Amino acid sequence: MANPLFRKHILSIPDFSREELELIVDTAARLKASPRDDLLQGRLIASCFFEPSTRTRLSFETAIQRLGGRVIGFDNASNTSTKKGETLSDSIRIISSYADAIVMRHHKEGAARLASEFSEVPVINGGDGANQHPSQTLLDLFTIRETQGTLEGLSLAFVGDLKYGRTVHSLAQALSLFGCRFYFVGPEALAMPDYICEMLAERGVSYTLAETIEEVIPEVDVLYMTRVQKERFDEADYQKIQGRFVLREDMLKGARDNMKILHPLPRVDEIETAVDASPHAYYFEQAKNGVFARQALLSLVLNETV
Amino acid sequence: MTITRTVEGLKNGTVIDHIPAGQGLRILRLFKLAELGERVNVGFNLSSRHMGAKDLIKVENVELTEAQANELALFAPKATVNVIRDSEVVKKHKLAMPATIEGIFACPNSNCISHVEPVDSFFYVSEQTNDIKLKCKYCEKGFSKDIVTAVE
Ligand SMILES: [Zn+2]
């Protein structure tokens, strides 16, 4: 029987069941433990970055080539027909006749779902505006499972910009299927949006709003840090919160042994560099896992069984 | 059961009655009722025993379907939609909230792809305790009904 993601589009985390998320995480773990170079043999993948993103593009293209696939595509829209006014739907109709799957990033929200309606081949969303970036969420899930041995019943704190950070929204959506509990730590102006809190309440997931990083550190298995961008505040307001959501090495004393610190990177100053040497720091390993999570997605979408 | 009550001035078509005063013009525009090439009679701010004031729309020779009638439920949940044939009411639509609403309202999110591509807008409708929420299929943003229906 074909795996449930075979020939499916990968657009948005809420589209996935718990079992499908587990399948992706398991596959990523297997590909990390025993690399394969044949799963995309003879396959041609279109890597279409209508909006540039060097890190995401390199990670996807590495994943494709490591699995034995080949890549066509573009890394920004400036020389493409989009620039001349072609609609995304027309571009996708053409590209989908060339390739076996399309990896795409676009600055407009909903672009990947729209593309999936015009594509003959699976579309993998590499980010659509402020909406979704499922491969980031999947690499986060994979990293959490790798460090904790399970996704079930964990305690996690999300720190920083919870309002605009799409990575924390998607991760909360995914982990709400696994009976996790959450602590939200951030400035009031950047609080978790209502729709996420409503979704958690609907699913009976408990969450706590906390004032400081220190108070949640002893309580959690995962500390997920994000950056508070200065541009979101006026100067006076920024002064008030500046430094409050920065992780320092001395805060980690009361942490559980298994506690790991994650961050979607790039980090600026919200994690002191002294933390990097701590056994709790895991954000660089997390970044490496991106290639395995993307390998898992591509393999499952393009092979009946992996 | 035969319904014999006749509707003044309408032989065949649809009567939308009990529209909250002020919504009639929007319904006319959003559902493009005036663009069908048929005669349309409208009454604004008519007196109503139950509603104080109401709007009323009669469209000749057009029979609204169940699905079309349900789309009205978003802004005129208490409206009545009667289909007339030979001056008799042959169908009284009971308005139920539709599960989806397509091609009527634009997405309030200005960065939504649906604005710049050849697709109809598409919202999933969910009823909540004190509100009706519409969620855009494309950008996945959820909006209160009042925000979506206010977009021109
Ligand atoms: Zn939208």
Side-chain angles (χ1 to χ4, degrees):
Chain A
M1 200 178 70
N3 86 74
L5 297 174
F6 181 53
R7 293 195 176 142
K8 292 278 165 60
H9 303 292
I10 306 293
L11 306 176
S12 176
I13 289 298
D15 295 344
F16 294 104
S17 68
R18 189 190 143 115
E19 290 69 28
E20 288 166 342
L21 294 174
E22 282 173 326
L23 172 66
I24 298 164
V25 167
D26 287 342
T27 307
R30 269 193 288 130
L31 292 172
K32 185 173 185 178
S34 28
R36 297 274 300 266
D37 61 6
D38 57 337
L39 286 168
L40 294 187
Q41 197 93 64
R43 304 305 181 94
L44 184 61
I45 315 296
S47 166
C48 303
F49 280 68
F50 296 92
E51 174 192 59
S53 169
T54 306
R55 283 187 320 138
T56 303
R57 187 174 60 84
L58 289 180
S59 181
F60 266 114
E61 294 185 5
T62 302
I64 294 163
Q65 307 228 25
R66 288 270 184 216
L67 291 170
R70 283 177 297 164
V71 183
I72 55 168
F74 47 89
D75 60 8
N76 69 77
S78 66
N79 292 319
T80 66
S81 38
T82 308
K83 191 76 182 297
K84 300 181 191 128
E86 186 176 55
T87 59
L88 176 62
S89 35
D90 282 0
S91 303
I92 292 295
R93 275 198 183 102
I94 305 300
I95 296 165
S96 85
S97 71
Y98 299 154
D100 298 306
I102 297 173
V103 172
M104 66 174 277
R105 187 183 183 99
H106 197 284
H107 69 284
K108 289 222 177 264
E109 284 120 40
R113 179 142 348 242
L114 181 124
S116 74
E117 294 176 352
F118 292 88
S119 174
E120 295 162 32
V121 299
V123 172
I124 298 176
N125 187 3
D128 60 326
N131 184 33
Q132 284 272 327
H133 190 11
S135 63
Q136 172 73 44
T137 310
L138 292 162
L139 86 86
D140 289 344
L141 285 180
F142 169 42
T143 305
I144 292 169
R145 226 273 305 264
E146 180 177 70
T147 60
Q148 307 297 326
T150 179
L151 291 171
E152 189 73 40
L154 298 172
S155 289
L156 300 96
F158 294 108
V159 181
D161 180 352
L162 309 182
K163 183 174 182 186
Y164 299 101
R166 64 180 174 188
T167 52
V168 300
H169 304 161
S170 304
L171 192 53
Q173 284 171 332
L175 288 168
S176 70
L177 300 173
F178 295 90
C180 293
R181 67 158 297 142
F182 302 115
Y183 296 86
F184 299 146
V185 190
E188 214 177 306
L190 297 179
M192 209 58 144
D194 288 345
Y195 83 97
I196 294 289
C197 295
E198 284 164 14
M199 178 273 301
L200 295 175
E202 263 170 44
R203 292 185 178 170
V205 176
S206 56
Y207 60 90
T208 307
L209 308 182
E211 296 267 304
T212 63
I213 302 177
E214 286 96 324
E215 67 189 279
V216 300
I217 280 181
E219 311 293 330
V220 299
D221 305 303
V222 174
L223 186 66
Y224 198 102
M225 298 292 298
T226 67
R227 183 152 70 97
V228 173
Q229 284 173 278
K230 199 177 171 184
E231 308 83 75
R232 306 270 188 219
F233 294 89
D234 62 40
E235 193 58 39
D237 288 340
Y238 187 70
Q239 294 296 336
K240 273 182 239 157
I241 60 126
Q242 194 179 17
R244 262 185 57 203
F245 305 101
V246 172
L247 182 64
R248 296 186 315 271
E249 209 263 336
D250 62 282
M251 294 174 169
L252 297 170
K253 278 188 212 93
R256 298 173 179 173
D257 290 344
N258 65 310
M259 195 275 269
K260 293 293 181 222
I261 304 158
L262 305 186
H263 188 300
L265 302 188
R267 161 216 19 211
V268 181
D269 52 7
E270 58 279 11
I271 302 177
E272 273 191 353
T273 48
V275 176
D276 298 356
S278 153
H280 299 290
Y282 208 75
Y283 28 92
F284 295 119
E285 278 298 315
Q286 175 191 9
K288 285 188 222 163
N289 280 342
V291 171
F292 300 110
R294 293 178 176 113
Q295 284 189 8
L297 275 179
L298 289 155
S299 312
L300 289 163
V301 162
L302 288 165
N303 293 281
E304 277 192 61
T305 54
V306 179
Chain B
M1 190 181 78
T2 327
I3 301 164
T4 51
R5 188 166 65 98
T6 59
V7 178
E8 195 187 339
L10 189 64
K11 193 157 184 289
N12 293 299
T14 304
V15 180
I16 309 169
D17 198 356
H18 303 104
I19 301 167
Q23 296 284 6
L25 197 59
R26 309 201 50 214
I27 289 175
L28 210 55
R29 202 173 48 219
L30 283 168
F31 292 85
K32 301 184 171 64
L33 297 173
E35 295 167 27
L36 299 170
E38 297 291 345
R39 184 204 295 246
V40 180
N41 286 306
V42 294
F44 294 143
N45 298 314
L46 307 178
S47 62
S48 156
R49 212 162 349 129
H50 299 295
M51 306 175 66
K54 66 172 187 182
D55 292 350
L56 173 96
I57 301 173
K58 297 179 195 173
V59 196
E60 263 182 37
N61 299 322
V62 173
E63 298 192 356
L64 285 198
T65 63
E66 189 91 41
Q68 289 168 320
N70 285 343
E71 290 180 338
L72 288 168
L74 273 180
F75 19 1
K78 298 209 168 78
T80 53
V81 179
N82 292 342
V83 177
I84 315 295
R85 275 182 216 154
D86 293 328
S87 304
E88 287 186 6
V89 178
V90 294
K91 175 104 189 108
K92 280 176 177 286
H93 287 302
K94 263 220 172 359
L95 298 197
M97 204 54 75
T100 63
I101 184 151
E102 298 165 39
I104 308 264
F105 310 105
C107 180
N109 171 12
S110 60
N111 201 39
C112 178
I113 191 79
S114 65
H115 295 295
V116 292
E117 291 288 322
V119 290
D120 279 341
S121 69
F122 189 115
F123 296 94
Y124 298 103
V125 181
S126 67
E127 286 190 72
Q128 306 195 330
T129 339
N130 295 313
D131 194 10
I132 292 160
K133 278 263 161 86
L134 302 186
K135 188 176 171 192
C136 174
K137 173 174 78 168
Y138 294 102
C139 69
E140 305 184 35
K141 289 222 168 8
F143 305 94
S144 160
K145 169 203 89 166
D146 295 338
I147 293 173
V148 180
T149 57
V151 174
E152 292 301 321

